[in-house]
Amino acid sequence: MKDLERLLAVGRKLRDGSPGPKGGSFCVELAERLLRVRDRQGKIQPLVANPVQRRFDERRGRSNIVLKARQMGMTTWVAAHFFLKTMTQPGVLTVQVAHTREAAEGIFGVVQRMWENLPREWQEGPLKRTRANAGQMIFGRLDSEFRVVSAGEENAGRGLTIQNLHLSEVGRWPGDAQATLAGLRAALAPGGEMVMESTPCGAYGAFYEEWMQAGETGMVRHFFPWWMEPAYRGAAARDLSGGEKELVERHGLSAEQIGYRRELERSFRGLRAQEYAEDAESCFKASGDCCFPVEAIESRMARVQEPAARRRGGALLVWLPPACGREYLVGVDTAGGGSDGDYAAVQVIDRLTGLQCAELRER
């Protein structure tokens, strides 16, 4: 009984946002004291918050959206934060939604390892699991549950009342990601906490739209560029280019970080700006090897006038209305089958002048 009472007291402090014993974040101090994870060398180690995880914990709100580079530790940190809440607060349902079944199994493995490394008296006492299978663990004495599912599962999260909701790699969710998001949001209890995170995957789709609209919806934006990860260092670079010098001046990057960036350029080429984001705009636009230079396209877009008309809920933009006697060229890029959140695009060009007259961007 005393162990259960202690856990519930910890849960109240987590809920109230109380400071930790050392004066820092209670969540960070608790995670570092209790939880174990597998490091990059495959060893089981205490979970020590990295700069990205600490920054997120400092700024997080009830509703969060995270845009990040690869391998920053966000999924592990959100799993740890929500696991602590689930094991210390009664009547809590935590749901983590991954983009694939394999990713869901991987996340649950992280949480499973956290439970396996808790004190044995807790495992056999207040945190004894009355159900533990692939993707689900239930703590009967607390009446709380931790569940991991795939976004591809039919009716994922529907019919539930969720207190903690983590949506992972939303930019890569299959099917109608917006509909899946809507169903999960409807399941979130009033006052519940939500974290939506992803690496960028093109300037379209559910995650891109959520990021762009976050200011209007009240979500807290978090952007974490690749250089916030301490492990991302390479051989010191020499003879810096103009763009590299600007990164050093603006963000204080070291010669070793510039060296690592050059390694990324060689390995990922056109995908470097997407997989290892440096700013919250170009990472969406540079989604592969482009036919035309991204910088030239962005420069031209900055000079484009506002459309004369917006129709079909903003999907159709018209700069020059149709005129009798003129000929037009219509270019069409069909959507990718509906499985990746892609859009269909139509461009209408005046054949004589080459001016863009209208644009349609719609599913």
Side-chain angles (χ1 to χ4, degrees):
M1 181 61 73
K2 288 184 178 179
D3 285 337
L4 178 59
E5 292 173 353
R6 291 194 190 100
L7 286 175
L8 294 177
V10 167
R12 288 191 290 271
K13 290 182 179 180
L14 276 175
R15 185 174 57 247
D16 298 339
S18 303
K22 299 178 182 179
S25 164
F26 186 78
C27 179
V28 171
E29 292 183 17
L30 187 66
E32 293 184 340
R33 180 162 57 90
L34 290 180
L35 303 182
R36 301 289 184 271
V37 294
R38 179 175 289 160
D39 65 15
R40 294 181 178 182
Q41 286 70 47
K43 298 179 179 179
I44 304 299
Q45 303 281 7
L47 173 58
V48 178
N50 65 27
V52 168
Q53 295 163 344
R54 289 181 181 276
R55 181 77 61 83
F56 173 76
D57 187 80
E58 290 169 1
R59 296 189 60 248
R60 65 179 173 83
R62 287 289 184 185
S63 182
N64 306 272
I65 184 166
V66 181
L67 173 62
K68 61 184 180 62
R70 291 179 62 176
Q71 299 294 317
M72 306 293 277
M74 274 307 305
T75 299
T76 297
W77 184 253
V78 176
H81 170 58
F82 283 166
F83 180 63
L84 288 173
K85 295 180 70 174
T86 308
M87 64 179 250
T88 61
Q89 297 175 9
V92 164
L93 172 60
T94 293
V95 175
Q96 290 193 282
V97 186
H99 63 299
T100 64
R101 167 49 56 186
E102 292 77 12
E105 292 172 357
I107 293 173
F108 192 75
V110 171
V111 179
Q112 171 80 5
R113 195 170 297 113
M114 291 175 182
W115 181 85
E116 289 173 348
N117 286 277
L118 290 173
R120 183 170 297 277
E121 59 268 24
W122 289 7
Q123 295 177 358
E124 297 175 354
L127 296 182
K128 184 176 182 179
R129 299 181 298 183
T130 54
R131 178 178 298 178
N133 52 38
Q136 183 185 35
M137 64 174 70
I138 297 176
F139 305 119
R141 293 186 65 182
L142 283 167
D143 190 26
S144 63
E145 176 183 351
F146 199 107
R147 185 183 300 190
V148 183
V149 299
S150 163
E153 294 180 23
E154 189 175 358
N155 298 321
R158 290 184 182 274
L160 302 174
T161 301
I162 303 170
Q163 282 71 39
N164 306 305
L165 179 60
H166 176 203
L167 312 172
S168 179
E169 285 299 336
V170 178
R172 289 164 173 77
W173 279 13
D176 191 340
Q178 283 289 13
T180 305
L181 271 177
L184 289 163
R185 273 199 171 107
L188 187 65
E193 185 175 348
M194 182 180 74
V195 180
M196 180 188 305
E197 51 90 358
S198 185
T199 50
C201 188
Y204 59 84
F207 183 75
Y208 174 74
E209 292 177 4
E210 293 289 337
W211 177 263
M212 297 302 292
Q213 297 169 9
E216 302 172 9
T217 59
M219 298 182 75
V220 180
R221 279 196 186 107
H222 306 262
F223 173 63
F224 300 120
W226 63 265
W227 55 74
M228 289 189 68
E229 168 52 56
Y232 290 164
R233 302 289 190 277
R238 303 182 185 279
D239 302 321
L240 304 187
S241 68
E244 291 171 340
K245 290 178 181 177
E246 183 179 356
L247 285 173
V248 172
E249 293 171 0
R250 290 184 60 188
H251 303 289
L253 267 63
S254 67
E256 290 76 14
Q257 288 173 311
I258 295 297
Y260 185 79
R261 186 176 187 267
R262 291 180 179 179
E263 294 175 14
L264 293 176
E265 288 280 4
R266 288 191 291 269
S267 299
F268 290 87
R269 302 181 67 185
L271 284 172
R272 194 268 308 158
Q274 172 183 290
E275 300 297 318
Y276 292 85
E278 296 185 347
D279 68 78
E281 293 184 4
S282 64
C283 64
F284 283 113
K285 297 174 183 177
S287 56
D289 289 317
C290 298
C291 179
F292 303 102
V294 174
E295 294 79 6
I297 295 173
E298 291 179 350
S299 175
R300 180 68 185 95
M301 289 179 65
R303 300 195 299 271
V304 173
Q305 298 179 355
E306 284 294 308
R310 297 175 185 267
R311 301 170 186 167
R312 299 175 69 95
L316 175 61
L317 307 180
V318 179
W319 284 271
L320 297 171
C324 292
R326 301 197 72 87
E327 294 184 344
Y328 299 94
L329 295 175
V330 179
V332 180
D333 179 4
T334 59
S339 62
D340 58 359
D342 198 3
Y343 287 82
V346 178
Q347 301 289 342
V348 181
I349 308 296
D350 187 293
R351 184 176 180 182
L352 181 63
T353 65
L355 292 175
Q356 182 185 31
C357 300
E359 172 183 280
L360 175 66
R361 176 177 176 272
E362 199 169 39
R363 291 188 192 278

